[in-house]
Amino acid sequence: MPNYGYTAGLPDLDYVKNPRQPDTNNYLANNYFKFEFTRLPTVTYFCQQVNLPGIAFDIARFPTTAGLPHKTPAGQYNYDNLNVSFMVDESMKNWIEVYEWIQSIGILNDISDTIPHNDKFSNAVLTVMSSSYKPNLQITFYDAFPIALSGIEFNSTLPDTIAIVSTASFAFNYYTVKTL
């Protein structure tokens, strides 16, 4: 009678290979990341939090005689915004980097203050680390540009000094995920 991975009624762990068993049982932790924005070096240095935006695909609904519409993929992809939270340095250099970029992509006061179309965009890279802090995945955001920057609240009534954190939101065309 064939063995099939059992010895004396016990499974032979060297033989049993479960295709549903993951390669690792380490979980993804929320602080295992590195974020780089080419155009915003001080935001990169002080980055505290970044999200991996969700993705959705439009569907088309076709009526049927059965009462339930037939759904089929159609349309376009929709990405959520890329949100980056960073500690503001005491000279506010990183906050000003984002502020000036937002001002330069639109016409605020004078058309001469705007930058050329190609300079309005920048790529960003989110590197997700393994549990041993080695690069595991690289997510590249293409043609990102700022669409919002949170304000800063100063408060002299607090008993302790608290670092100020600001959040910038970015739109982008798409992102790619690459295993490293």
Side-chain angles (χ1 to χ4, degrees):
M1 178 177 227
N3 186 332
Y4 296 116
Y6 287 89
T7 306
L10 298 173
D12 180 5
L13 296 180
D14 293 330
Y15 179 80
V16 176
K17 300 290 185 197
N18 185 347
R20 295 180 293 173
Q21 182 70 29
D23 293 335
T24 179
N25 60 358
N26 295 335
Y27 60 90
L28 177 65
N30 61 356
N31 60 341
Y32 293 2
F33 75 95
K34 181 174 74 170
F35 184 70
E36 299 172 83
F37 220 127
T38 313
R39 189 174 178 133
L40 303 171
T42 56
V43 169
T44 295
Y45 181 80
F46 287 100
C47 181
Q48 299 292 297
Q49 185 176 340
V50 63
N51 72 318
L52 178 56
I55 182 173
F57 191 71
D58 290 337
I59 61 170
R61 291 183 169 100
F62 297 102
T64 65
T65 57
L68 292 174
H70 175 74
K71 298 176 187 172
T72 187
Q76 59 190 18
Y77 291 97
N78 295 302
Y79 290 99
D80 295 336
N81 292 332
L82 172 65
N83 298 311
V84 180
S85 295
F86 55 94
M87 282 193 310
V88 179
D89 64 292
E90 68 178 10
S91 62
M92 294 178 57
K93 185 174 180 182
N94 50 9
W95 191 88
I96 291 171
E97 281 178 347
V98 180
Y99 175 77
E100 289 179 345
W101 188 7
I102 288 176
Q103 280 196 321
S104 69
I105 60 176
I107 302 170
L108 185 63
N109 293 322
D110 187 4
I111 196 164
S112 65
D113 294 336
T114 61
I115 57 178
H117 182 74
N118 289 340
D119 293 340
K120 294 178 182 183
F121 309 100
S122 179
N123 293 343
V125 176
L126 172 62
T127 304
V128 179
M129 306 295 198
S130 68
S131 59
S132 58
Y133 288 101
K134 293 188 178 3
N136 197 19
L137 294 172
Q138 180 176 317
I139 300 147
T140 305
F141 300 89
Y142 293 93
D143 300 329
F145 59 96
I147 57 171
L149 176 63
S150 68
I152 295 176
E153 183 177 325
F154 296 96
N155 187 345
S156 65
T157 63
L158 296 175
D160 294 325
T161 302
I162 298 173
I164 292 178
V165 176
S166 186
T167 300
S169 295
F170 298 87
F172 57 93
N173 283 330
Y174 66 99
Y175 64 79
T176 58
V177 179
K178 176 181 163 187
T179 303
L180 301 176

